[in-house]
Amino acid sequence: MNQTERRYFLIKELLEEQPEYRKMRIPQDTTGQKRLLRSLMNVRMPGTATQEFLAVQDAYLQEETAEKGIVDLEDLEPVQEGIYLWQGDITRLRCDAIVNAANSGMTGCYAPCHGCIDNCIHTFSGIQLRLACAELMEKQGHKEETGKAKITPGFNLPCRYVIHTVGPIVSGRLTDKHKELLASCYHSCMELAEENSLESIAFCCISTGEFHFPNDTAAQIAVRTVKEFMQKKSGIKKVIFNVFKDIDKQIYENLLM
């Protein structure tokens, strides 16, 4: 199968799986098909799939990521010893683990084609990630607490693992509790990475998007918490601060360079 054939197969399978969508027309254009496929993956509830579906999906997603271009940590230059700053799509990074800014349900974003990092990571990892997260939550028996973290395989992402953490939501004024919880997110992720013998981890800007944590204060907390952890005897050798927006890039450059 080529990419067009894989995409059509996956769309057909997902439409057939969900009765309310079976009569939906499949767009003829590539952009429309990609959007429909992502939407169907986004709304799909956690569950198993056939080996044929997974094989086709995995081949499709890995080719899509290859076309976007994989960014290898080994090709990046540190801005300080063991500290890196990189702007771009975190799903392109090849390192031991990337951090996902999750919600308390921990099974991803169900809004079709939403622009949050949670949606993006689940989309390009594949449907296995949502199931893995759901199994963790079922075993835990309750929603994930703010400031804690969980680890799953990266599946079809270039990274080996995804570490999911729930950041604080700032709905009014910023409080000391918000700051403590955000620091706990970074510390929990670092701790979990070390427990799993990982040497590199890439952090997104936790809580600064949909959760409205002020970008500059969030960056200060991130840098301080990571550096304090690395100053201890830590097996984590490399930390990437991954930014997407220009404003965050400027903030981190001011802090690190």
Side-chain angles (χ1 to χ4, degrees), residues 8-18 50 52-53:
Y8 194 81
F9 170 85
L10 295 171
I11 290 172
K12 290 284 287 183
E13 289 292 307
L14 290 170
L15 288 174
E16 186 63 27
E17 183 179 84
Q18 303 179 67
T50 66
E52 182 183 18
F53 180 94

Side-chain angles (χ1 to χ4, degrees), residues 6 37 48 77 82 88 122 125 139 160 187 205 223 225 246:
R6 292 184 185 118
L37 176 57
T48 58
E77 292 292 331
H122 274 268
S125 177
K139 183 178 180 180
R160 293 169 56 203
H187 189 273
C205 299
V223 171
T225 307
D246 290 339

Side-chain angles (χ1 to χ4, degrees), residues 10 41 53-62 126-128 156:
L10 295 171
M41 292 174 69
F53 180 94
L54 292 177
V56 174
Q57 177 214 238
D58 292 355
Y60 178 80
L61 291 175
Q62 289 168 27
I127 64 170
Q128 299 99 315
N156 290 294

Side-chain angles (χ1 to χ4, degrees), residues 113-182:
C113 297
H114 192 259
C116 69
I117 191 171
D118 197 14
N119 188 292
C120 190
I121 287 174
H122 274 268
T123 295
F124 290 99
S125 177
I127 64 170
Q128 299 99 315
L129 182 59
R130 179 163 283 169
L131 178 58
C133 290
E135 289 172 345
L136 285 175
M137 289 297 97
E138 183 178 2
K139 183 178 180 180
Q140 177 167 279
H142 58 81
K143 290 184 176 182
E144 185 73 351
E145 297 175 37
T146 303
K148 304 294 185 181
K150 292 284 188 294
I151 189 169
T152 64
F155 296 104
N156 290 294
L157 297 169
C159 60
R160 293 169 56 203
Y161 297 96
V162 178
I163 297 179
H164 311 258
T165 189
V166 182
I169 300 173
V170 181
S171 55
R173 70 178 184 86
L174 186 67
T175 66
D176 288 341
K177 185 62 175 178
H178 290 134
K179 297 175 185 178
E180 291 169 10
L181 287 170
L182 185 61

Side-chain angles (χ1 to χ4, degrees), residues 71 73 75-88 93 201-205 219 222-223 238-257:
V71 177
L73 171 57
D75 294 330
L76 301 181
E77 292 292 331
V79 293
Q80 293 183 15
E81 184 178 357
I83 303 290
Y84 297 75
L85 176 62
W86 183 73
Q87 183 177 24
L93 277 174
I201 181 171
F203 283 100
C204 62
C205 299
V223 171
K238 299 176 181 180
V239 173
I240 307 168
F241 290 110
N242 166 249
V243 299
F244 194 74
K245 298 177 180 178
D246 290 339
I247 185 175
D248 290 313
K249 183 171 185 284
Q250 186 62 60
I251 290 169
Y252 274 92
E253 283 178 345
N254 293 338
L255 290 170
L256 296 170
M257 301 172 74

